Amino acid sequence: MKDYLQKLANREDLTFTEMNEVANLFFSESTTDSEIAAVLMGLQLKGETPEEIAGLVEVLRQNALPFQKNIQEVMDNCGTGGDGSQSFNISSTSAFVIAGAGVKIAKHGNRSVSSKTGSADVLEELGVSLDFSMEEVNQLLDGNGIAFLFAPHVHPKLKQIMKVRQELRIPTIFNLIGPLTNPVKLQSQLLGIYQREKLVLMAKALRQLGRKRAIVVNGAGHLDEASLAGENYLVLLNKGKIKEFTIKPEDVGLNRYSLDAIKGGNARQNAEILLRVLKGEKGPYYETVLLNAGLALFAHGKATSVKKGVQLAEVSIESGLALEKLNHLIRYSDKRKNGVVHQ
């Protein structure tokens, strides 16, 4: 570890292989909390590279619960958090809409980070289990087209690193990589980030990790989701090529709303908002979900444009397919609790 710490102290970038080796040392009993903290600080001070991000993510995925089956064309939609907007659970609500439109989605999430309520909090409130085994995730992706992976459950070896992060109390590389550490092999992804200057960085990291298609978005108002408040900044990764573009709500037939219009609340309140959207209640929550789900469907390649993605998202909600994806997860979770489903 000493040689790598010296490189970081000199503000030198680590290669993908070197970051792999450092990340593996994170899981060694001989590595101290101080060494882990020094690496995180060194990366943060000089600025992380795509190779360093991908090198760390690869090791974290290798140390997650094993997911053996290679299900084709699975995606995830997740933000890094940290935008402080206190918005409702946009990506969680959108995930069911994406699945209702026919795209398999392995939703990776956690409890609250920057919002009042994280994806795990709201889904738990709705009755969805947080401890699905990877075998059950397989079953749900096959049979329902959507499964939820609770980050602490699928990354059980990260406790020591999380302890160091909490003690540092400043943003580190781990504040960037949450959406990248999904143990399911993803072909496409919609990734939100509140730091606009890191859009291309994250797109390059996704390319290094083998995504065929992806969109990285920074929303109007610097949200880690697409926003109806104005111009959204995006980067499209498609077959190794990176293209920057912007999109406004009116470009895809949606209305403008202020950020205050999409504020959320506690887990119960956000669960109610999610249900109202999936039941088709129109307004800023509904249109925000259409925009984000539409972007995800375009990121996947299911839709040939964002506008067509928005149209597919609306059909998913209005047909009841999106709501049925949620109800299936709730029924499955209920059966698990009653011992009907093998765990």
Side-chain angles (χ1 to χ4, degrees):
M1 185 70 89
K2 182 181 176 182
D3 291 342
Y4 299 129
L5 286 172
Q6 188 60 58
K7 282 193 76 171
L8 291 173
N10 295 334
R11 301 201 173 211
E12 295 175 35
D13 296 334
L14 302 181
T15 66
F16 176 87
T17 302
E18 288 173 335
M19 193 66 222
N20 246 229
E21 291 171 1
V22 170
N24 275 307
L25 287 170
F26 283 175
F27 293 98
S28 168
E29 289 183 3
S30 62
T31 301
T32 66
D33 288 358
S34 296
E35 286 174 319
I36 295 172
V39 169
L40 298 183
M41 284 298 299
L43 290 167
Q44 199 271 346
L45 287 170
K46 76 167 189 62
E48 302 87 351
T49 66
E51 292 75 21
E52 288 163 347
I53 291 169
L56 173 58
V57 166
E58 184 179 81
V59 172
L60 297 184
R61 292 182 71 248
Q62 289 168 354
N63 281 275
L65 293 182
F67 186 86
Q68 304 292 346
K69 189 172 180 181
N70 187 15
I71 298 176
Q72 294 300 308
E73 299 304 322
V74 180
M75 80 173 302
D76 192 5
N77 70 320
C78 187
T80 59
D83 62 20
S85 68
Q86 306 297 315
S87 60
F88 77 107
N89 296 91
I90 298 169
S91 65
S92 300
T93 312
S94 300
F96 294 106
V97 180
I98 297 161
V103 172
K104 290 186 186 297
I105 186 157
K107 183 74 179 85
H108 189 245
N110 209 333
R111 296 199 183 276
S112 134
V113 179
S114 60
S115 300
K116 292 181 183 178
T117 311
S119 56
D121 302 304
V122 75
L123 292 176
E124 186 177 52
E125 178 71 23
L126 289 163
V128 175
S129 298
L130 301 184
D131 59 346
F132 291 127
S133 68
M134 297 313 274
E135 184 180 21
E136 288 174 317
V137 170
N138 268 326
Q139 293 170 8
L140 287 164
L141 285 175
D142 271 338
N144 190 41
I146 182 170
F148 181 70
L149 292 85
F150 181 43
H153 176 65
V154 297
H155 299 285
K157 297 182 182 179
L158 283 179
K159 289 180 181 177
Q160 181 186 7
I161 299 170
M162 293 305 104
K163 175 176 171 284
V164 173
R165 283 185 65 198
Q166 288 166 358
E167 289 174 353
L168 281 176
R169 296 183 182 179
I170 63 164
T172 69
I173 191 171
F174 278 89
N175 294 82
L176 295 175
I177 63 171
L180 304 178
T181 59
N182 193 322
V184 177
K185 186 177 181 180
L186 305 174
Q187 282 73 37
S188 58
Q189 189 157 0
L190 175 66
L191 189 159
I193 184 165
Y194 75 94
Q195 297 147 295
R196 192 164 293 167
E197 70 278 6
K198 292 186 175 177
L199 282 168
V200 173
L201 168 73
M202 297 304 285
K204 288 179 178 178
L206 286 165
R207 180 171 63 188
Q208 182 100 28
L209 289 165
R211 303 290 189 271
K212 292 178 184 176
R213 280 179 65 92
I215 286 177
V216 187
V217 57
N218 173 260
H222 291 274
L223 264 64
D224 69 333
E225 315 271 5
S227 159
L228 300 171
E231 196 162 41
N232 298 277
Y233 291 77
L234 306 103
V235 175
L236 171 67
L237 168 67
N238 183 28
K239 297 178 181 176
K241 294 182 179 178
I242 287 173
K243 178 184 176 183
E244 297 181 62
F245 67 107
T246 61
I247 197 165
K248 299 185 289 293
E250 51 267 29
D251 295 336
V252 292
L254 298 173
N255 296 300
R256 286 205 182 204
Y257 291 96
S258 71
L259 295 181
D260 285 341
I262 59 167
K263 283 195 181 290
N266 59 29
R268 181 183 57 78
Q269 291 166 326
N270 281 10
E272 289 172 357
I273 293 169
L274 185 153
L275 285 171
R276 295 206 311 264
V277 170
L278 296 188
K279 288 175 181 177
E281 181 181 300
K282 307 298 188 290
Y285 298 125
Y286 179 90
E287 291 196 35
T288 298
V289 168
L290 290 185
L291 178 57
N292 282 274
L295 277 169
L297 293 169
F298 177 57
H300 173 271
K302 176 80 173 179
T304 55
S305 69
V306 179
K307 190 168 186 176
K308 288 183 179 176
V310 169
Q311 292 165 352
L312 287 175
E314 189 163 22
V315 171
S316 173
I317 295 174
E318 297 304 322
S319 65
L321 289 170
L323 182 60
E324 177 50 32
K325 297 298 181 181
L326 169 62
N327 287 336
H328 184 108
L329 266 188
I330 294 169
R331 290 194 300 268
Y332 190 94
S333 300
D334 193 48
K335 287 178 181 176
R336 285 177 90 245
K337 290 171 190 171
N338 293 320
V340 177
V341 176
H342 174 68
Q343 297 184 37

